[in-house]
């Protein structure tokens, strides 16, 4: 039992490491996007999509009721950032400098070097490949910097747009948890996709050589 416990302690990423990395969240770049920490000054851009029923239909949270609510939320996030306990980036379109969504990690399973990807995008910017571009950069950060072995993403059944993003990222659909989550008083069926580090690296090599 002691040997097993030592193996567990030595094999996974340490929480202190995660906190140190995310307490000073690095800015990430893609050809069209900037991924940076959220700011209170992003409130107007965030509220534009966070207040919409169609945006939150397949999310765990409800529409923001007011701009003040969004501002308070972003102030709360600043505290979480300082503790290294929040893992989301603001997604900013370089051309307009507008915050158009968020992308990052919703949680980590540190003993297993695993993380969960999450994202949301202003519908005004759908259909341009921005979601895939941002998520691909976050996956790269997860595998190259955090040294994760596996990254998964979940979606509610019916959200085919999110599943399409996951498939474009090279993720594999593992299956569905039937009515596996109680969300806003309704039981929702949840799909799970995942990608392993070696799969991501192989896919990046192919994309870079197209």
């Amino acid at each position: 039992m002691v040997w097993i416990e030592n193996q567990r302690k030595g094999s996974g990423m340490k929480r202190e490491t995660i906190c140190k990395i995310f307490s000073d969240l690095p800015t990430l770049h893609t050809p069209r996007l900037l991924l940076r920490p959220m700011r209170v000054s992003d409130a107007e851009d965030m509220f534009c999509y966070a207040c919409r029923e169609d945006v939150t239909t397949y999310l765990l949270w409800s529409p923001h009721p007011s701009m003040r609510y969004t501002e308070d939320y972003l102030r709360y996030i600043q505290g979480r950032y300082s503790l290294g306990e929040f893992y989301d980036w603001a997604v900013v379109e370089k051309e307009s400098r507008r915050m158009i969504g968020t992308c990052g990690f919703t949680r980590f399973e540190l003993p297993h070097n695993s993380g969960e990807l999450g994202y949301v995008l202003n519908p005004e910017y759908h259909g341009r490949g921005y979601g895939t571009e941002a998520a691909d950069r976050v996956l790269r950060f997860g595998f190259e910097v955090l040294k994760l072995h596996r990254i998964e993403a979940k979606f509610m059944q019916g959200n085919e747009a999110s599943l399409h993003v996951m498939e474009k990222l090279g993720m594999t659909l593992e299956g569905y948890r039937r009515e596996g989550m109680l969300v806003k008083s309704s039981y929702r069926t949840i799909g799970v996709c995942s990608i392993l580090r070696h799969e991501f690296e192989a896919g990046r090599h192919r994309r870079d050589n197209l």
Side-chain angles (χ1 to χ4, degrees):
M1 288 299 293
V2 173
W3 179 83
I4 292 175
E5 187 61 28
N6 286 339
Q7 287 295 98
R8 288 174 178 167
K9 289 180 179 178
S11 60
M13 176 174 279
K14 305 300 183 187
R15 179 158 298 280
E16 310 89 81
T17 304
I18 288 287
C19 290
K20 182 177 180 180
I21 291 172
F22 284 94
S23 64
D24 187 19
L25 191 69
T27 296
L28 308 179
H29 293 266
T30 76
R32 299 179 295 169
L33 303 172
L34 186 71
L35 278 67
R36 58 156 174 78
M38 297 180 207
R39 304 167 181 162
V40 176
S41 59
D42 293 320
E44 184 175 352
D45 288 340
M46 174 176 275
F47 184 69
C48 281
Y49 67 83
C51 69
R52 295 175 54 160
E53 290 279 355
D54 59 333
V55 169
T56 61
T57 298
Y58 295 109
L59 300 178
L60 299 180
W61 45 277
S62 299
H64 289 195
S66 66
M67 178 79 79
R68 176 66 179 272
Y69 180 96
T70 303
E71 291 171 347
D72 288 344
Y73 170 72
L74 288 169
R75 288 191 185 95
Y76 165 73
I77 292 306
Q78 305 313 300
R80 296 286 304 283
Y81 274 141
S82 66
L83 296 172
E85 295 178 349
F86 192 73
Y87 321 119
D88 253 359
W89 285 264
V91 178
V92 177
E93 185 186 44
K94 287 182 176 179
E95 183 177 357
S96 66
R97 308 303 295 178
R98 186 181 184 191
M99 178 195 179
I100 63 173
T102 62
C103 186
F105 297 99
T106 61
R107 65 185 180 91
F108 295 102
E109 291 186 18
L110 300 182
H112 309 294
N113 289 320
S114 176
E116 182 177 332
L117 175 73
Y119 45 82
V120 60
L121 197 68
N122 187 327
E124 294 178 22
Y125 295 87
H126 286 182
R128 305 186 196 182
Y130 283 154
T132 305
E133 189 171 324
D136 182 76
R137 185 64 184 87
V138 171
L139 288 180
R140 179 180 166 192
F141 184 86
F143 288 125
E144 294 183 359
V145 177
L146 304 182
K147 305 300 181 183
L148 297 176
H149 173 69
R150 166 192 163 94
I151 298 175
E152 68 179 36
K154 297 175 182 174
F155 64 96
M156 293 185 196
Q157 190 173 46
N159 191 359
E160 301 306 318
S162 189
L163 173 58
H164 182 58
V165 170
M166 296 172 195
E167 291 173 337
K168 287 178 68 177
L169 291 168
M171 290 183 146
T172 297
L173 176 61
E174 296 184 340
Y176 292 89
R177 295 169 52 207
R178 295 182 303 146
E179 299 189 1
M181 189 176 289
L182 181 60
V183 182
K184 303 169 191 173
S185 302
S186 297
Y187 289 101
R188 308 299 294 270
T189 293
I190 305 299
V192 180
C193 293
S194 70
I195 187 168
L196 306 180
R197 186 192 303 179
H198 72 87
E199 295 170 336
F200 180 78
E201 291 171 349
R204 173 161 295 279
H205 178 74
R206 287 194 297 271
R207 291 192 297 273
D208 290 345
N209 286 277
L210 288 178

